[in-house]
Amino acid sequence: MSRWESLLIVQEHDTRADQLAHRVQTLPARAELAAVTEQIGAVDRNLATVESRRGELSRSQQRLEDEIASLTERANQAEKQLYSGSVTAPRELQALQDDVASIRRRIGQIEDDELEIMELTEPVDAQHAELTAERERLDGEAMRITAELAETEAEIEAELAVVQAERAEAAAAVPDELWPEYDRLRAHLGGVAIARLAGSTCQGCHLALPAVEIDRIRKLATDETVHCEECGRLLVRD
Ligand SMILES: [Zn+2]
């Protein structure tokens, strides 16, 4: 076995670890969660608008109710005076009666206004209920995806731990002098520093080496350092 074989085993584990890391980064659940989070944001913005409209209507209604209460109090006072016997002059009695009637009419008008506000509030309340239900549904969805994501991540982490333990074992068999170039090439060549030469094809870039080059390589000892002419990767020969 050439000294490069031990490094190729490390490469296989590093490639596997890279794939697992990539899988963690690109789990579909991650994109799903981002989409749901965005939807939650949109629902919250709508809810804020609806709640502000609801607040306005509720304050308007409260103002009208306060006005009704105060007018009712005034009408009651006037009626009390009217029936107390303290006012006897017909003109004064008439004035009081007119006053009460006028207040009662005003109360009737305000009650109509209040009814209008209540009618306006109905669809806003319905919209609020709808948005709140949608928010709850999305919260549930987000929780489900988050749990699913955590579970998948834990599975991949466990797999990665196994790969890393095996990698450490394989790395112990690699001669020290091979590491600097391995690390350098791995950083520059998309994580793959070393590949097998299968026939005349480099398994790193999948290109065939020229026959002249293959002839030259065949004459070298398998422990010799050989790079693929095309991609620059270290080549392992049988
Ligand atoms: Zn190559």
Side-chain angles (χ1 to χ4, degrees):
M1 191 171 102
S2 88
R3 57 183 184 151
W4 302 109
E5 291 285 351
S6 60
L7 196 55
L8 188 61
I9 295 169
V10 170
Q11 174 71 73
E12 280 158 9
H13 285 93
D14 279 341
T15 299
R16 182 80 192 114
D18 288 347
Q19 284 164 348
L20 290 171
H22 180 258
R23 226 184 107 203
V24 166
Q25 289 309 310
T26 58
L27 284 172
R30 215 177 285 285
E32 269 177 63
L33 187 60
V36 169
T37 306
E38 202 173 307
Q39 281 175 288
I40 288 176
V43 168
D44 281 354
R45 281 191 294 280
N46 286 339
L47 262 176
T49 307
V50 167
E51 271 164 11
S52 140
R53 177 79 184 122
R54 244 181 149 200
E56 279 167 30
L57 289 167
S58 152
R59 281 189 297 277
S60 296
Q61 191 177 343
Q62 190 57 55
R63 264 196 305 277
L64 296 178
E65 276 170 15
D66 291 348
E67 210 178 332
I68 290 170
S70 113
L71 286 169
T72 304
E73 175 62 21
R74 261 180 64 194
N76 292 345
Q77 287 298 329
E79 271 172 346
K80 218 169 161 189
Q81 207 183 350
L82 194 57
Y83 303 121
S84 66
S86 63
V87 180
T88 49
R91 200 172 290 166
E92 270 181 59
L93 283 172
Q94 185 60 52
L96 262 176
Q97 267 169 348
D98 289 349
D99 201 18
V100 169
S102 149
I103 293 169
R104 294 283 180 214
R105 268 199 308 281
R106 178 74 193 122
I107 288 173
Q109 284 164 356
I110 296 171
E111 278 170 348
D112 288 346
D113 291 348
E114 199 189 356
L115 267 178
E116 264 175 49
I117 298 241
M118 284 159 89
E119 273 166 25
L120 290 174
T121 305
E122 239 171 69
V124 177
D125 279 347
Q127 210 182 347
H128 187 267
E130 207 176 289
L131 285 168
T132 304
E134 177 66 358
R135 177 65 151 89
E136 274 170 26
R137 188 188 70 76
L138 289 170
D139 279 347
E141 190 79 345
M143 267 166 63
R144 181 189 64 73
I145 299 170
T146 303
E148 186 190 303
L149 197 57
E151 198 182 317
T152 313
E153 276 176 355
E155 279 168 20
I156 297 174
E157 290 296 328
E159 213 177 323
L160 190 59
V162 172
V163 171
Q164 277 163 347
E166 287 172 359
R167 193 258 188 209
E169 212 175 299
V174 175
D176 287 345
E177 70 272 17
L178 303 189
W179 286 114
E181 189 167 24
Y182 175 78
D183 292 335
R184 187 176 61 78
L185 290 177
R186 218 170 100 69
H188 288 96
L189 295 171
V192 180
I194 186 166
R196 187 171 296 284
L197 180 66
S200 61
T201 305
C202 161
Q203 296 296 294
C205 62
H206 302 286
L207 292 173
L209 273 66
V212 178
E213 177 65 0
I214 294 294
D215 278 350
R216 185 187 75 82
I217 293 169
R218 286 222 176 99
K219 288 175 190 141
L220 301 171
T222 50
D223 269 351
E224 283 281 330
T225 305
V226 173
H227 291 94
C228 167
E229 270 193 349
E230 302 294 342
C231 68
R233 293 187 172 92
L234 289 160
L235 286 175
V236 182
R237 291 155 292 139
D238 294 324

